[in-house]
Amino acid sequence: MLKSILQYFLRGLAKKIIKKYRPDVVGITGSVGKTSVKEAVTAVLSSKFNVRSNHKNYNNEIGLPLTIIGFEQSPGRSVLGWLLVFGRALHLLLVKNKNYPEILALEMGADKPGDIHYLVDIAPCKVGVLTFISHAHTEFFKTIKKIAQEKRVIISHLSHDDFAVLNFDNELVMQNATATKAEIVTYGFKEGADLRASDVNIINDEATGWPSGLNFKVNFKGNTVPVFFSGVAAEHLVPSFLAGLAVGSIFGVNLVEGAAALRQLKPLAGHMRLIPGIKGTLIIDDTYNSSPEPTKSALQTLAQIQIKPSAERYAVLGDMLELGTETENTHREVGFKAAELGINFLITVGEASKHTAAAAREAGLGEHQVASFADSVSAGKFLQEKLEPGDVVLIKGSQSTRMEKIVKEIMAEPLKAQELLVRQGAEWAKR
């Protein structure tokens, strides 16, 4: 009851602030990639404009209004904290703030039907970005068709004067292109995309031999610009950077300026971030969250990293949650993929991931190459003992599996956990 009242007032105040200040809103949604795209969009646009975006993943009916009002974190149960929120909102409405953002880059999440409509009603978009449609939250949407219906609201509510930015490589996204009246800008790897990436390369550090980043070329309207991004080595992050450049082009940021802005963007915690591990190993930290397609892409990246003949590739995978009736099949697909790619050792965490382990064994991984654990702490201790110099470890799982605990267990400098890892705040300490 109290939450509903709180939500009601937040919604009303946020709508009034949007109406008064009239910022251009870039709304970003999709099954995966929202946060990476939001960060890329913010980096590119900030080269020319005053931009504000959601803090972390504050992308719901509470987080989005807080962003509009100008609060990075929810006050939680603090009455005083909420009084400060409402006080700031009222001040914005009563006194003109000349420094209010020109552009809001807002990640919009959907856990259930109607969520995107609720959020765009608060903040109607000038630009709607649809990143990817795949199996995620199918526990609540039941079918991929219903997921698509929900996600496309980000572009179906746009007018003729607005812009829809679409992932050209995702068939389900492009099937919904007819749902918008807006001008369409596409991005991707495939021929025919307005902004197309090519020549993607993982760059290795000459001193260590480990990957240090990746570069690629962006082709747009006959122009080609090189882009370099440090600290990650995942080709599947390239579309996020393309989306940032696509939105930038709409607001007059050219490719050269956009590429320079992306070069300054720091890798996101838990998004395929490269972290030195103990015993001279390398960690690919992808612990922010997990769903089937990104997990397969992450495994592909792991398989592509060059290692010494004596070294091994480890995949440490936690449960992928909120998949409903698709849970067993999708976890098995991941297990088959790990075996197909020749991953040397698979460690799973959680009940659902036992299906991943079983499928990997069926596909050819031996009993000595697979281990399953109930929790991340046990898995981390086991992994720490197994690792040898030169090994590479991919760690990934849904939020509640707390796979970042494994990263902290095996990272070379655990004192940097607060700086480098996800979920290091006080609210997560006892979970």
Side-chain angles (χ1 to χ4, degrees), residues 357-373:
R361 292 189 188 97
E362 291 173 26
L365 287 188
E367 286 294 331
H368 65 289
Q369 294 176 283
V370 182
S372 295
F373 295 88

Side-chain angles (χ1 to χ4, degrees), residues 12 23 63 120 124 141 144 148 159 163 178 192 198 208 234 269 281 283 285 291 311 338 345 350 374 399 406 411:
V120 299
F141 288 98
I144 196 76
S159 70
F163 296 85
T178 56
S198 62
T208 65
T281 60
I283 303 167
D285 176 15
S291 59
F345 205 104
Q399 288 190 18
I406 301 177
M411 64 192 294

Side-chain angles (χ1 to χ4, degrees), residues 21 50 96-100:
Y21 289 93
N50 178 6
K96 184 74 172 179
N97 184 342
K98 295 180 181 179
N99 294 319
Y100 194 83

Side-chain angles (χ1 to χ4, degrees), residues 198-205 209-216 227-229 231-236 238 272 274 282 284 297-298 300-306:
S198 62
D199 303 296
V200 181
N201 294 295
I202 294 175
I203 307 301
N204 292 320
D205 185 276
W210 290 126
S212 59
L214 54 81
N215 64 12
F216 57 97
V227 178
F228 175 75
F229 194 74
V232 298
E235 184 174 306
H236 66 267
V238 171
M272 297 298 287
L274 300 173
L282 179 69
I284 306 173
S297 296
Q300 189 76 49
T301 296
L302 174 62
Q304 290 172 345
I305 291 179
Q306 296 179 1

Side-chain angles (χ1 to χ4, degrees), residues 174-189:
M174 295 310 297
Q175 285 175 3
N176 287 278
T178 56
T180 188
K181 300 173 183 176
E183 181 177 336
I184 293 173
V185 180
T186 60
Y187 64 91
F189 292 105

